[in-house]
Amino acid sequence: MEGLTSIVIFGASGDLTGRKLIPSLFSLYCKGRLPRQWRVLGLSRTPFTNEEFQARMEAAVKEFMPEQFEAQAWAEFAPHLAYEPGNLNNVEDFQDLDARLAKMEAEADGPANRLYYLAIAPRLYEATVANLGAAGMIDESHGWRRVVIEKPFGHDLPSAKALNAAVHKVLDEAQIYRIDHYLGKETVQNLLVFRFANSLFEPVWNRNYIDHVQITAAEKVDVGHRAGYYDGVGVMRDMVQNHMLQLLSLVAMEPPASFAADALRNERVKVLASIRPVKVENVARHTVRGQYRGYCEAEGVAPDSQTATYAAMRLYIDNWRWQGVPFYLRSGKALAEKTTEISIFFKRPPHLMFPLPPGARLEANDLSICIQPDEGIHFTFQAKVPDTAAGMRNVDMSFHYADYFGETPIPEAYERLLLDAIKGDAALFTRADTIELSWELVDNILAGWQSDAAPPLITYERGSWGPAEGDALVAHDGFTWLLSCREH
Ligand code: BG6
């Protein structure tokens, strides 16, 4: 019997709950994907009645998912939402919460399952998990208990290790669901389908055919009202440690034998373990750091802040598949456009029998996977220009989600992740070892940035593509950053 699933959201008055969690649950409800018996119990310090909480959530869904809001469905959904004020540092509040949950559970049939979602400030993670344990709320004798933990999981390797150790005191690793919402994105999951459900690409997906790989995660927005959080965190901790390294690991991993959570996670972690650490003495050669003009004037930012809002880097993966293939990563705020793209550049033909105009160079084939916004895949190749002797130019073979799946809106990443956590599928969540390895890589670079060997922090203009040094990093190796998806 399926039983009752209670989703307990800690941090229920916060931004994430209204912006992502409740809209995603509402959408899952409308699609009929939630368990037959389910409840949400929101908790935070602010006192609200159930009705006030429901009204706030209704406003949030209308604001953040206007096209999907439907009054009739909301009227059925809303009574499932309840609220309990509480202090996460107070074990008594957890006991009260447990009693309230137990009362709801007593009225339902079958097992009483609980998903605890930590949508709270990271400094409260440890206390919250400890209090869940102290209040006996992790005990699985009446149903499963799982805890979803948002990013950032730690702010460096020692703090991530300490947090892992603290949560492991209370929870088994199999009960912990560390979220990286990039893994919930449809296009990121499609990367796995593209690589492993087609036989064409895998044979050439290696150093024999691939010249280099570029991963761009550019954002148009600046740090805005999150400046207080962002300062001291910067792009390395905010985007590279999690989202970008996850993208890299999906591009570079070996084919897993199955879609079982650990089969997939084992392969991802092996990639991270094979990335060559950037040594302090090489940090200026392999990395670039930038800060957009005006960043220091934002409220909450130190006037002399050295926080990087842009980073570009060259990484190598020391294994048989990727030896010698550079992976270039770049990410930044206040850039020209919002775009996330992975481009795989293939090697040029070993010999060209066609004459090229003086000074011209044959463009390599490139395969670009557009994660967002215009989701799709592009493959560029050379074609003969009609009515010329041997004129050639790059042409594009494209797949846009909108052309094939136009009717089906791409779901919010949190929908998939929430549902997977409810189902107990951890494939798209991050395991303790992955978190620690990714912090180790990032810490190495950040240590270099703190040292005398650091590359200078370059100021770049808002609305640009970042500092010229970022372009020079790839130009040094004979390449340019390319955003095929934007062009096609
Ligand atoms: C978050 C970062 O994890 O990802 C933000 O903290 C960033 O700074 C966001 O803006 C980007 O996510 P998305 O889905 O908009 O690409």
Short mmCIF file of all heavy atoms in Angstrom, two decimals, residues 1-49:
data_model
loop_
_atom_site.label_atom_id
_atom_site.label_comp_id
_atom_site.label_asym_id
_atom_site.label_seq_id
_atom_site.Cartn_x
_atom_site.Cartn_y
_atom_site.Cartn_z
N MET A 1 0.83 -1.21 0.00
CA MET A 1 0.00 0.00 0.00
C MET A 1 0.88 1.27 0.00
O MET A 1 1.88 1.32 0.69
CB MET A 1 -0.90 -0.02 1.24
CG MET A 1 -1.93 1.07 1.24
SD MET A 1 -2.92 1.06 2.72
CE MET A 1 -4.11 -0.20 2.32
N GLU A 2 0.49 2.25 -0.79
CA GLU A 2 1.30 3.45 -0.97
C GLU A 2 1.36 4.34 0.29
O GLU A 2 2.39 4.87 0.64
CB GLU A 2 0.71 4.23 -2.13
CG GLU A 2 1.60 5.26 -2.71
CD GLU A 2 0.85 6.09 -3.75
OE1 GLU A 2 -0.16 6.72 -3.41
OE2 GLU A 2 1.30 6.08 -4.89
N GLY A 3 0.21 4.47 0.96
CA GLY A 3 0.18 5.25 2.20
C GLY A 3 0.13 6.75 1.97
O GLY A 3 -0.14 7.23 0.87
N LEU A 4 0.40 7.48 3.05
CA LEU A 4 0.36 8.95 3.00
C LEU A 4 1.79 9.49 2.86
O LEU A 4 2.69 9.05 3.57
CB LEU A 4 -0.25 9.49 4.30
CG LEU A 4 -0.14 10.99 4.54
CD1 LEU A 4 -1.01 11.79 3.57
CD2 LEU A 4 -0.52 11.36 5.98
N THR A 5 1.96 10.44 1.97
CA THR A 5 3.27 11.11 1.85
C THR A 5 3.13 12.53 2.36
O THR A 5 2.36 13.32 1.80
CB THR A 5 3.75 11.11 0.38
OG1 THR A 5 3.80 9.75 -0.06
CG2 THR A 5 5.13 11.73 0.26
N SER A 6 3.87 12.85 3.42
CA SER A 6 3.88 14.22 3.93
C SER A 6 5.14 14.91 3.45
O SER A 6 6.24 14.38 3.63
CB SER A 6 3.86 14.24 5.45
OG SER A 6 2.73 13.55 5.92
N ILE A 7 4.95 16.06 2.84
CA ILE A 7 6.11 16.84 2.38
C ILE A 7 6.25 18.00 3.35
O ILE A 7 5.37 18.88 3.40
CB ILE A 7 5.88 17.34 0.93
CG1 ILE A 7 5.63 16.12 0.01
CG2 ILE A 7 7.06 18.17 0.45
CD1 ILE A 7 4.95 16.47 -1.29
N VAL A 8 7.28 17.98 4.13
CA VAL A 8 7.46 19.01 5.15
C VAL A 8 8.49 20.00 4.61
O VAL A 8 9.63 19.63 4.34
CB VAL A 8 7.96 18.40 6.47
CG1 VAL A 8 8.12 19.48 7.53
CG2 VAL A 8 7.01 17.31 6.94
N ILE A 9 8.05 21.23 4.42
CA ILE A 9 8.98 22.23 3.86
C ILE A 9 9.46 23.14 4.98
O ILE A 9 8.68 23.92 5.55
CB ILE A 9 8.31 23.06 2.75
CG1 ILE A 9 7.77 22.13 1.64
CG2 ILE A 9 9.28 24.08 2.18
CD1 ILE A 9 7.05 22.86 0.50
N PHE A 10 10.73 23.03 5.31
CA PHE A 10 11.34 23.96 6.26
C PHE A 10 11.77 25.20 5.46
O PHE A 10 12.47 25.07 4.46
CB PHE A 10 12.54 23.32 6.95
CG PHE A 10 12.18 22.14 7.80
CD1 PHE A 10 12.51 20.84 7.41
CD2 PHE A 10 11.49 22.31 8.99
CE1 PHE A 10 12.16 19.75 8.18
CE2 PHE A 10 11.13 21.22 9.77
CZ PHE A 10 11.47 19.93 9.37
N GLY A 11 11.36 26.36 5.91
CA GLY A 11 11.65 27.59 5.15
C GLY A 11 10.45 27.91 4.27
O GLY A 11 10.60 28.39 3.15
N ALA A 12 9.24 27.65 4.79
CA ALA A 12 8.04 27.76 3.96
C ALA A 12 7.68 29.20 3.61
O ALA A 12 6.95 29.42 2.65
CB ALA A 12 6.87 27.09 4.67
N SER A 13 8.22 30.17 4.36
CA SER A 13 7.89 31.55 4.01
C SER A 13 8.92 32.12 3.04
O SER A 13 8.83 33.27 2.63
CB SER A 13 7.81 32.42 5.27
OG SER A 13 9.09 32.44 5.88
N GLY A 14 9.91 31.32 2.69
CA GLY A 14 11.01 31.84 1.86
C GLY A 14 10.70 31.84 0.38
O GLY A 14 9.68 31.34 -0.08
N ASP A 15 11.67 32.42 -0.33
CA ASP A 15 11.57 32.64 -1.76
C ASP A 15 11.40 31.32 -2.55
O ASP A 15 10.54 31.20 -3.41
CB ASP A 15 12.89 33.32 -2.16
CG ASP A 15 12.81 33.92 -3.52
OD1 ASP A 15 11.85 34.67 -3.76
OD2 ASP A 15 13.68 33.60 -4.36
N LEU A 16 12.23 30.33 -2.21
CA LEU A 16 12.23 29.08 -2.98
C LEU A 16 10.88 28.37 -2.93
O LEU A 16 10.41 27.83 -3.92
CB LEU A 16 13.34 28.15 -2.43
CG LEU A 16 13.53 26.85 -3.19
CD1 LEU A 16 14.16 27.11 -4.55
CD2 LEU A 16 14.39 25.88 -2.41
N THR A 17 10.26 28.41 -1.74
CA THR A 17 8.99 27.71 -1.58
C THR A 17 7.92 28.29 -2.52
O THR A 17 7.24 27.53 -3.22
CB THR A 17 8.52 27.82 -0.11
OG1 THR A 17 9.57 27.31 0.70
CG2 THR A 17 7.26 27.02 0.15
N GLY A 18 7.83 29.62 -2.53
CA GLY A 18 6.81 30.26 -3.37
C GLY A 18 7.16 30.26 -4.84
O GLY A 18 6.30 30.12 -5.71
N ARG A 19 8.45 30.39 -5.11
CA ARG A 19 8.87 30.54 -6.51
C ARG A 19 8.94 29.19 -7.24
O ARG A 19 8.60 29.11 -8.42
CB ARG A 19 10.25 31.21 -6.51
CG ARG A 19 10.77 31.65 -7.84
CD ARG A 19 12.14 32.27 -7.66
NE ARG A 19 12.06 33.61 -7.13
CZ ARG A 19 11.95 34.70 -7.89
NH1 ARG A 19 11.93 34.58 -9.19
NH2 ARG A 19 11.89 35.88 -7.35
N LYS A 20 9.41 28.16 -6.52
CA LYS A 20 9.65 26.89 -7.20
C LYS A 20 8.88 25.70 -6.62
O LYS A 20 8.32 24.90 -7.37
CB LYS A 20 11.16 26.53 -7.13
CG LYS A 20 12.08 27.54 -7.75
CD LYS A 20 12.05 27.47 -9.25
CE LYS A 20 13.03 28.43 -9.87
NZ LYS A 20 12.82 28.60 -11.31
N LEU A 21 8.93 25.53 -5.29
CA LEU A 21 8.44 24.27 -4.74
C LEU A 21 6.93 24.11 -4.89
O LEU A 21 6.46 23.10 -5.41
CB LEU A 21 8.87 24.12 -3.26
CG LEU A 21 10.38 24.20 -3.02
CD1 LEU A 21 10.71 23.95 -1.55
CD2 LEU A 21 11.13 23.20 -3.91
N ILE A 22 6.17 25.10 -4.41
CA ILE A 22 4.71 24.96 -4.48
C ILE A 22 4.23 24.98 -5.95
O ILE A 22 3.42 24.11 -6.33
CB ILE A 22 4.00 26.01 -3.59
CG1 ILE A 22 4.40 25.79 -2.11
CG2 ILE A 22 2.49 25.97 -3.77
CD1 ILE A 22 3.92 24.47 -1.48
N PRO A 23 4.76 25.90 -6.81
CA PRO A 23 4.34 25.81 -8.21
C PRO A 23 4.64 24.44 -8.82
O PRO A 23 3.82 23.89 -9.55
CB PRO A 23 5.16 26.92 -8.90
CG PRO A 23 5.41 27.92 -7.82
CD PRO A 23 5.56 27.12 -6.55
N SER A 24 5.79 23.84 -8.48
CA SER A 24 6.12 22.52 -9.04
C SER A 24 5.17 21.46 -8.51
O SER A 24 4.73 20.58 -9.25
CB SER A 24 7.56 22.13 -8.71
OG SER A 24 8.43 23.07 -9.28
N LEU A 25 4.85 21.53 -7.21
CA LEU A 25 3.93 20.54 -6.64
C LEU A 25 2.54 20.71 -7.26
O LEU A 25 1.85 19.73 -7.55
CB LEU A 25 3.84 20.69 -5.11
CG LEU A 25 5.07 20.17 -4.35
CD1 LEU A 25 5.03 20.62 -2.89
CD2 LEU A 25 5.16 18.64 -4.44
N PHE A 26 2.16 21.97 -7.48
CA PHE A 26 0.84 22.21 -8.09
C PHE A 26 0.79 21.62 -9.50
O PHE A 26 -0.17 20.95 -9.88
CB PHE A 26 0.55 23.72 -8.11
CG PHE A 26 -0.77 24.06 -8.72
CD1 PHE A 26 -1.95 23.51 -8.22
CD2 PHE A 26 -0.87 24.93 -9.81
CE1 PHE A 26 -3.19 23.81 -8.79
CE2 PHE A 26 -2.10 25.24 -10.37
CZ PHE A 26 -3.25 24.67 -9.86
N SER A 27 1.86 21.83 -10.24
CA SER A 27 1.90 21.28 -11.59
C SER A 27 1.86 19.75 -11.56
O SER A 27 1.13 19.13 -12.34
CB SER A 27 3.16 21.80 -12.29
OG SER A 27 3.28 21.23 -13.53
N LEU A 28 2.60 19.16 -10.62
CA LEU A 28 2.58 17.69 -10.50
C LEU A 28 1.16 17.22 -10.15
O LEU A 28 0.68 16.20 -10.65
CB LEU A 28 3.56 17.22 -9.42
CG LEU A 28 5.05 17.31 -9.78
CD1 LEU A 28 5.91 17.05 -8.55
CD2 LEU A 28 5.41 16.33 -10.90
N TYR A 29 0.51 17.99 -9.29
CA TYR A 29 -0.86 17.63 -8.88
C TYR A 29 -1.78 17.66 -10.11
O TYR A 29 -2.54 16.72 -10.35
CB TYR A 29 -1.35 18.61 -7.80
CG TYR A 29 -2.79 18.37 -7.43
CD1 TYR A 29 -3.12 17.33 -6.58
CD2 TYR A 29 -3.81 19.16 -7.95
CE1 TYR A 29 -4.46 17.08 -6.25
CE2 TYR A 29 -5.13 18.93 -7.64
CZ TYR A 29 -5.44 17.88 -6.78
OH TYR A 29 -6.75 17.63 -6.47
N CYS A 30 -1.65 18.74 -10.90
CA CYS A 30 -2.53 18.88 -12.07
C CYS A 30 -2.28 17.75 -13.06
O CYS A 30 -3.17 17.35 -13.80
CB CYS A 30 -2.31 20.23 -12.75
SG CYS A 30 -2.83 21.61 -11.72
N LYS A 31 -1.05 17.26 -13.10
CA LYS A 31 -0.73 16.16 -14.04
C LYS A 31 -1.06 14.79 -13.43
O LYS A 31 -0.77 13.77 -14.04
CB LYS A 31 0.75 16.20 -14.40
CG LYS A 31 1.15 17.42 -15.21
CD LYS A 31 2.66 17.44 -15.43
CE LYS A 31 3.09 18.73 -16.10
NZ LYS A 31 4.55 18.91 -16.07
N GLY A 32 -1.57 14.81 -12.20
CA GLY A 32 -1.95 13.55 -11.55
C GLY A 32 -0.76 12.70 -11.14
O GLY A 32 -0.84 11.48 -11.11
N ARG A 33 0.37 13.34 -10.83
CA ARG A 33 1.59 12.57 -10.54
C ARG A 33 1.92 12.44 -9.06
O ARG A 33 2.84 11.72 -8.70
CB ARG A 33 2.78 13.20 -11.25
CG ARG A 33 2.56 13.21 -12.73
CD ARG A 33 3.82 13.33 -13.52
NE ARG A 33 3.46 13.32 -14.93
CZ ARG A 33 4.06 14.02 -15.88
NH1 ARG A 33 5.09 14.78 -15.56
NH2 ARG A 33 3.67 13.94 -17.13
N LEU A 34 1.18 13.16 -8.22
CA LEU A 34 1.47 13.04 -6.79
C LEU A 34 0.85 11.76 -6.26
O LEU A 34 -0.10 11.23 -6.86
CB LEU A 34 0.93 14.26 -6.04
CG LEU A 34 1.68 15.57 -6.29
CD1 LEU A 34 1.06 16.71 -5.49
CD2 LEU A 34 3.17 15.46 -5.96
N PRO A 35 1.36 11.24 -5.14
CA PRO A 35 0.76 10.03 -4.58
C PRO A 35 -0.73 10.28 -4.29
O PRO A 35 -1.16 11.44 -4.16
CB PRO A 35 1.53 9.81 -3.28
CG PRO A 35 2.75 10.64 -3.38
CD PRO A 35 2.48 11.74 -4.33
N ARG A 36 -1.48 9.20 -4.15
CA ARG A 36 -2.93 9.34 -3.94
C ARG A 36 -3.20 10.15 -2.66
O ARG A 36 -4.07 10.99 -2.62
CB ARG A 36 -3.56 7.95 -3.86
CG ARG A 36 -5.06 7.94 -4.12
CD ARG A 36 -5.57 6.52 -4.20
NE ARG A 36 -5.20 5.71 -3.04
CZ ARG A 36 -5.82 5.76 -1.86
NH1 ARG A 36 -6.81 6.58 -1.67
NH2 ARG A 36 -5.42 4.98 -0.87
N GLN A 37 -2.44 9.84 -1.59
CA GLN A 37 -2.62 10.60 -0.34
C GLN A 37 -1.36 11.42 -0.09
O GLN A 37 -0.27 10.85 0.04
CB GLN A 37 -2.79 9.64 0.84
CG GLN A 37 -3.99 8.72 0.73
CD GLN A 37 -4.06 7.84 1.97
OE1 GLN A 37 -4.51 8.24 3.02
NE2 GLN A 37 -3.56 6.62 1.84
N TRP A 38 -1.49 12.70 -0.03
CA TRP A 38 -0.32 13.55 0.20
C TRP A 38 -0.73 14.81 0.95
O TRP A 38 -1.88 15.21 0.95
CB TRP A 38 0.36 13.92 -1.12
CG TRP A 38 -0.51 14.80 -1.97
CD1 TRP A 38 -1.53 14.39 -2.78
CD2 TRP A 38 -0.48 16.22 -2.06
NE1 TRP A 38 -2.14 15.47 -3.37
CE2 TRP A 38 -1.51 16.62 -2.95
CE3 TRP A 38 0.31 17.21 -1.48
CZ2 TRP A 38 -1.76 17.94 -3.26
CZ3 TRP A 38 0.07 18.55 -1.79
CH2 TRP A 38 -0.97 18.89 -2.68
N ARG A 39 0.25 15.43 1.58
CA ARG A 39 0.05 16.65 2.38
C ARG A 39 1.32 17.47 2.31
O ARG A 39 2.40 16.90 2.24
CB ARG A 39 -0.09 16.31 3.87
CG ARG A 39 -1.38 15.73 4.30
CD ARG A 39 -2.32 16.86 4.76
NE ARG A 39 -3.66 16.36 5.03
CZ ARG A 39 -4.54 16.08 4.08
NH1 ARG A 39 -4.23 16.24 2.82
NH2 ARG A 39 -5.74 15.65 4.39
N VAL A 40 1.17 18.79 2.37
CA VAL A 40 2.35 19.63 2.57
C VAL A 40 2.19 20.29 3.92
O VAL A 40 1.12 20.81 4.24
CB VAL A 40 2.48 20.72 1.48
CG1 VAL A 40 3.49 21.78 1.86
CG2 VAL A 40 2.86 20.11 0.14
N LEU A 41 3.25 20.26 4.71
CA LEU A 41 3.23 21.02 5.95
C LEU A 41 4.43 21.98 5.90
O LEU A 41 5.58 21.54 5.84
CB LEU A 41 3.35 20.05 7.15
CG LEU A 41 3.20 20.69 8.52
CD1 LEU A 41 1.92 21.51 8.65
CD2 LEU A 41 3.20 19.62 9.62
N GLY A 42 4.11 23.26 5.84
CA GLY A 42 5.17 24.26 5.76
C GLY A 42 5.53 24.76 7.14
O GLY A 42 4.66 24.89 8.00
N LEU A 43 6.82 24.99 7.34
CA LEU A 43 7.24 25.51 8.64
C LEU A 43 8.25 26.64 8.44
O LEU A 43 9.15 26.53 7.62
CB LEU A 43 7.88 24.38 9.46
CG LEU A 43 8.30 24.76 10.89
CD1 LEU A 43 7.90 23.67 11.87
CD2 LEU A 43 9.82 24.98 10.98
N SER A 44 8.05 27.73 9.14
CA SER A 44 9.08 28.76 9.29
C SER A 44 8.69 29.59 10.52
O SER A 44 7.72 29.25 11.20
CB SER A 44 9.25 29.60 8.03
OG SER A 44 8.02 29.96 7.51
N ARG A 45 9.49 30.63 10.76
CA ARG A 45 9.27 31.34 12.04
C ARG A 45 8.01 32.19 12.03
O ARG A 45 7.32 32.29 13.03
CB ARG A 45 10.48 32.21 12.35
CG ARG A 45 11.69 31.39 12.71
CD ARG A 45 12.87 32.27 12.93
NE ARG A 45 12.77 32.94 14.20
CZ ARG A 45 13.74 33.01 15.09
NH1 ARG A 45 14.90 32.44 14.83
NH2 ARG A 45 13.58 33.63 16.21
N THR A 46 7.73 32.82 10.87
CA THR A 46 6.60 33.75 10.81
C THR A 46 5.29 33.03 11.11
O THR A 46 5.04 31.97 10.54
CB THR A 46 6.48 34.32 9.37
OG1 THR A 46 7.77 34.38 8.81
CG2 THR A 46 5.79 35.66 9.34
N PRO A 47 4.47 33.59 12.01
CA PRO A 47 3.19 32.93 12.25
C PRO A 47 2.19 33.19 11.11
O PRO A 47 1.94 34.34 10.77
CB PRO A 47 2.70 33.55 13.57
CG PRO A 47 3.48 34.79 13.75
CD PRO A 47 4.68 34.77 12.86
N PHE A 48 1.69 32.14 10.54
CA PHE A 48 0.59 32.22 9.57
C PHE A 48 -0.43 31.17 9.96
O PHE A 48 -0.05 30.12 10.50
CB PHE A 48 1.04 31.82 8.15
CG PHE A 48 2.02 32.73 7.50
CD1 PHE A 48 3.27 32.24 7.09
CD2 PHE A 48 1.71 34.05 7.25
CE1 PHE A 48 4.18 33.07 6.47
CE2 PHE A 48 2.64 34.88 6.62
CZ PHE A 48 3.88 34.38 6.23
N THR A 49 -1.67 31.43 9.61
CA THR A 49 -2.66 30.34 9.73
C THR A 49 -2.54 29.50 8.45
O THR A 49 -1.91 29.94 7.48
CB THR A 49 -4.09 30.90 9.81
OG1 THR A 49 -4.34 31.63 8.58
CG2 THR A 49 -4.25 31.84 10.99
#
